[in-house]
Amino acid sequence: MNSSPSSTLSTQTSSQANRDLFDQSALSDLAQRLVEAARRAGADAADAVAVRGVSQGVEVRDGRVEESERSEGDDVGLRVLVGQRQAVVSTNDVSGDAVTKLAERAVAMAKVAPSDKYVGLADPALLARDFPDLDLLDPAVPATAELERRALAAEAAALGVKGVTKSGGASASSGIGGMVLVTSTGFHGSYLRSSQGISATAISGEGTSMERDYDFTSAPHGADLLSPETVGRSAGERTVARYNPRKVETCKVPIVFDPRVAGSLVGHLVGAINGASIARKTSFLKDKLGQQLFAKNIRIIDDPLRRRGLRSQTFDAEGVAVKRTALVDEGVLTTWLLDCATARELGLTTTGHAHRGVSSSPSPGPYNLHLEAGAPTPAELISDIKQGFYVTDLIGSGVNGVTGDYSRGASGFWIENGEITYPVSEVTIAGHLFEIFNSMQPANNLEFRYGINAPTVRIEGLTLGGR
């Protein structure tokens, strides 16, 4: 079939728009000019980040589009150092002589900033020189009509599950995010990452007995998403399974974490080994480097170089090369997460974990985290539990990173004689992160769906607070 002239023109225009979106040469030039302007204004050292963000999303409810939005913009940030003094400024207006004025303002701010002996750019010997292709950019940017189709299909699948009484809405989104980093020490790097997602929420019951649950999928490439129908059906099935929950008595039983919430346990570890917390001595793990915290079969990996990973990139926010790291190896805590400043404060070398926005100085953070899978299946993991609790949702943030005390609201299902039985709500899980880490048993069902991934996990020795 021959294309009409108008449709051909539309396709060509869309392709050109995508090429313009993927072209970071103007951002690279802008970052370079900012660094040069800072040096002319009197900075001893400087780096500049230019960040591109484009997003579009559609929300639907009851078969109709409720909201459709799109946003895009480029922002730049400049960090300057004058001696041991530092300042950070940012803008999205670089017209006229804005670059020169921004640099002059940053240098003036740095000259009156308090001195900090730990600030500074990365050692040039640590800078990234290889930039492997991690396949983070999907060239096929979905149109608004396609996002509407995905969201409507997810909602329809959720409503098609027997027992679902109404929709909680569904959405589909896509975006492009990227960064250019230029430093006065000669580093010049950039990356672009696409993102796409689908989510659905379903409701069962009526009035005060309503229950709701959700599911979602996200990935850099559209081809790696779960289908809208799978997402919607899962949201509906999860919701129906939660209907008519019971209460349980306070007890001490084995607790099993569903993969969707098991990653939070890894998140608590990573928060506690953040170099900023270690330097401030505000982490319950501050004296535990090199010690056995988990069983010998436990490995927790941070992998910034995973192909098509949600948080993958080839260099950190200071230009330092990144690498796959076992944060916990054979149960032993092997490292802190460090940027250059926290590393200097601790007398160590950066681990390449610097993150940064345009208006902030670098700070440490993780990339793609996962707890490696164990040997047993989820069914085998719970087969010997006479009475226990299977957690599917956690509520609140009652985790104290200074003491390691753990207390979270939860809902899920009761385990009886090795089987998942009836739904349970309004309970609290309490204990200490040392207990959680020491007794952690992973199943074999690891999937890479989130920024932090874990299989089903069993924990012993926690208190389940009920009625």
Side-chain angles (χ1 to χ4, degrees), residues 410-430:
S411 60
F413 299 86
W414 193 244
I415 300 171
E416 198 157 325
N417 296 321
E419 299 289 339
I420 293 174
T421 57
Y422 52 83
V424 171
S425 66
E426 298 180 8
V427 295
T428 301
I429 303 169

Side-chain angles (χ1 to χ4, degrees), residues 311-431:
R311 301 176 180 174
S312 297
Q313 57 195 69
T314 56
F315 59 92
D316 79 351
E318 295 176 294
V320 173
V322 297
K323 62 181 180 180
R324 188 178 192 269
T325 305
L327 307 180
V328 172
D329 194 10
E330 295 186 346
V332 175
L333 177 62
T334 65
T335 185
W336 309 130
L337 301 187
L338 302 173
D339 63 353
C340 287
T342 56
R344 292 186 188 107
E345 188 168 357
L346 294 168
L348 300 169
T349 301
T350 177
T351 57
H353 281 95
H355 294 259
R356 178 184 173 187
V358 294
S359 59
S360 62
S361 55
S363 60
Y367 300 103
N368 300 302
L369 293 162
H370 73 268
L371 167 64
E372 286 196 348
T377 66
E380 291 168 343
L381 199 66
I382 68 173
S383 63
D384 65 336
I385 297 177
K386 298 298 182 186
Q387 288 191 316
F389 183 55
Y390 185 87
V391 187
T392 57
D393 277 288
L394 291 167
I395 305 161
S397 54
V399 180
N400 189 322
V402 179
T403 64
D405 291 324
Y406 181 94
S407 179
R408 305 271 320 254
S411 60
F413 299 86
W414 193 244
I415 300 171
E416 198 157 325
N417 296 321
E419 299 289 339
I420 293 174
T421 57
Y422 52 83
V424 171
S425 66
E426 298 180 8
V427 295
T428 301
I429 303 169

Side-chain angles (χ1 to χ4, degrees), residues 66-335:
E66 279 199 331
E67 187 174 1
S68 179
E69 61 181 7
R70 177 183 174 88
S71 65
E72 58 181 275
D74 295 337
D75 296 290
V76 294
L78 175 66
R79 178 172 62 139
V80 303
L81 294 106
V82 178
Q84 294 296 297
R85 304 173 190 271
Q86 172 178 274
V88 178
V89 295
S90 63
T91 186
N92 58 8
D93 178 14
V94 289
S95 57
D97 59 353
V99 166
T100 299
K101 289 183 176 179
L102 187 71
E104 290 173 347
R105 185 164 79 248
V107 171
M109 291 169 59
K111 287 179 178 178
V112 297
S115 180
D116 183 346
K117 61 183 178 180
Y118 302 120
V119 301
L121 302 188
D123 182 340
L126 300 175
L127 297 176
R129 290 172 174 78
D130 297 319
F131 305 96
D133 179 11
L134 303 180
D135 197 15
L136 301 179
L137 189 62
D138 188 343
V141 179
T144 303
E146 170 60 15
L147 296 181
E148 289 180 10
R149 184 198 70 78
R150 293 176 183 178
L152 290 168
E155 182 184 54
L159 289 170
V161 175
K162 185 179 180 180
V164 171
T165 54
K166 63 178 68 175
S167 167
S171 66
S173 62
S174 71
I176 301 288
M179 184 180 84
V180 173
L181 173 65
V182 175
T183 75
S184 58
T185 52
F187 179 83
H188 193 140
S190 64
Y191 63 82
L192 273 175
R193 180 193 298 118
S194 53
S195 62
Q196 297 189 42
I198 305 166
S199 68
T201 301
I203 299 169
S204 62
E206 300 288 346
T208 58
S209 64
M210 286 194 303
E211 294 290 335
R212 72 171 59 220
D213 210 326
Y214 69 95
D215 205 352
F216 71 97
T217 180
S218 60
H221 284 253
D224 295 336
L225 295 173
L226 299 176
S227 72
E229 292 78 11
T230 299
V231 172
R233 187 164 52 249
S234 174
E237 291 170 349
R238 283 177 174 269
T239 299
V240 171
R242 292 176 61 144
Y243 186 64
N244 197 23
R246 305 184 200 178
K247 310 301 182 196
V248 294
E249 301 290 341
T250 296
C251 54
K252 234 181 188 180
V253 293
I255 309 291
V256 180
F257 288 73
D258 181 83
R260 194 164 79 176
V261 292
S264 67
L265 304 177
V266 177
H268 299 320
L269 169 78
V270 170
I273 64 172
N274 185 293
S277 297
I278 302 302
R280 291 194 302 264
K281 302 188 185 305
T282 56
S283 168
F284 76 104
L285 295 180
K286 63 183 183 295
D287 301 317
K288 301 301 181 182
L289 189 64
Q291 294 191 22
Q292 189 94 33
L293 299 181
F294 300 79
K296 291 187 75 66
N297 66 323
I298 298 295
R299 297 185 84 233
I300 296 175
I301 306 297
D302 189 24
D303 187 6
L305 299 175
R306 181 152 57 81
R307 287 181 63 81
R308 298 196 180 191
L310 283 170
R311 301 176 180 174
S312 297
Q313 57 195 69
T314 56
F315 59 92
D316 79 351
E318 295 176 294
V320 173
V322 297
K323 62 181 180 180
R324 188 178 192 269
T325 305
L327 307 180
V328 172
D329 194 10
E330 295 186 346
V332 175
L333 177 62
T334 65
T335 185

